[in-house]
Amino acid sequence: MAADPEAALELLRSGELEVHGRVTSASNAVLYCTVTLDGLTVPCAYKPVAGEQPLWDFPDGTLAGREEASFLVSAATGWGLVPPTVMRDGQAGPGTVQLWIEPDDEAEELIDLQDPAGPEPGWLPIVRADVGGGRTALLVHRDDERLRRLAVLDAVLNNSDRKGGHWITAPDGRLYGIDHGVTFAEPAKLRTLLWGWAGEPLPDEASEVLGRLAGALDGALGESLRPLITPVELDATRARVTVLVRGGRHPEPSPDWPSIPWPPV
């Protein structure tokens, strides 16, 4: 279903939503549901606004809108990195409903702890980690095109919480990013594990996508985002894309903001 976003969006918007339980590991309310339309039933995650925990640096009741806004930006890139997501009413009031992506338990690991002397071939360093007993290890992620696209998307979204558990490899090999409630803030808040390309030139593909995205933000995409984020946040998003296009490089960690989310995984 994720491979057909338009059909998935129609199902999520118009289908009958049935709640089956709560994802207890989430800090905000996340309800595991199914949605059914015309005899087709698929699993989904429902995040009601009423279940959002207050945050000091984001206005109350805005996380769900940021989730949908992240999907819209992802869709505009053509990379399809965020599962289809809509705002709608459910049993607990308005919130986002997102297509549930079942992880591939056999997929290769994308992060690892390795010898502090340096990453193994095919891996990129993130940070040295204290593993106890006076020992350290090197936290690394794979040099993977899917992760690199996600790093570019996060730079656009100003994602403040790209933990290692906030991406899923599906059985078809596609990578999806989830949990985008703390995005689109005006000040720089990028906090991620995907620093392996920091300061490196952007791939040609990413530069082309960002160029198209800049135009879309001045047009239909920008209009779609207006109900979901503030005008100041929309302007800041345009500015981040402009900086990426003109600079042509992956961003580097800011000295004024923690660069790694906690917990990292």
Side-chain angles (χ1 to χ4, degrees):
M1 179 57 70
D4 188 351
E6 290 305 315
L9 290 171
E10 177 61 23
L11 181 60
L12 295 172
R13 288 192 191 104
S14 304
E16 180 180 354
L17 192 65
E18 182 178 356
V19 177
H20 297 280
R22 180 169 180 169
V23 179
T24 57
S25 59
S27 55
N28 297 299
V30 180
L31 304 178
Y32 177 79
C33 304
T34 53
V35 61
T36 301
L37 183 67
D38 296 333
L40 177 62
T41 299
V42 300
C44 58
Y46 166 40
K47 298 183 179 181
V49 172
E52 295 178 7
Q53 298 296 319
L55 298 171
W56 69 269
D57 53 345
F58 285 85
D60 292 350
T62 67
L63 305 191
R66 297 170 195 277
E67 293 263 11
E68 185 183 26
S70 297
F71 164 72
L72 293 174
V73 173
S74 167
T77 66
W79 288 333
L81 291 168
V82 178
T85 309
V86 303
M87 286 281 290
R88 60 166 286 178
D89 284 329
Q91 288 85 334
T96 52
V97 177
Q98 184 176 84
L99 192 69
W100 186 274
I101 304 297
E102 198 65 39
D104 180 5
D105 293 334
E106 302 300 320
E108 64 180 14
E109 293 294 336
L110 297 176
I111 56 173
D112 194 15
L113 286 171
Q114 295 181 1
D115 191 298
E120 299 171 7
W123 296 83
L124 297 172
I126 306 168
V127 69
R128 292 185 186 276
D130 183 349
V131 293
R135 297 176 298 117
T136 62
L138 191 63
L139 183 63
V140 297
H141 65 70
R142 286 193 185 272
D143 187 0
D144 185 290
E145 179 187 64
R146 300 167 300 170
L147 287 180
R148 193 165 192 172
R149 288 175 172 176
L150 193 59
V152 173
L153 178 65
D154 283 342
V156 172
L157 301 180
N158 198 15
N159 190 355
S160 188
D161 198 29
R162 179 61 71 197
K163 295 182 173 73
H166 287 182
W167 61 66
I168 296 171
T169 303
D172 64 0
R174 295 191 61 172
L175 187 76
Y176 294 93
I178 60 170
D179 289 337
H180 295 98
V182 286
T183 47
F184 294 103
E186 178 194 6
K189 288 181 179 287
L190 183 59
R191 190 165 52 188
T192 176
L193 290 186
L194 300 178
W195 289 117
W197 301 281
E200 290 190 8
L202 291 166
D204 290 344
E205 178 207 32
S207 296
E208 292 171 5
V209 166
L210 289 166
R212 294 197 303 270
L213 190 61
L217 285 166
D218 286 333
L221 175 60
E223 291 303 312
S224 298
L225 295 177
R226 286 188 184 280
L228 304 172
I229 59 177
T230 69
V232 169
E233 290 168 342
L234 180 54
D235 287 344
T237 303
R238 292 191 181 104
R240 287 192 297 272
V241 173
T242 297
V243 167
L244 288 167
V245 170
R246 291 179 178 173
R249 292 182 178 274
H250 286 273
E252 297 185 77
S254 168
D256 302 320
W257 179 253
S259 61
I260 303 294
W262 188 261
V265 179

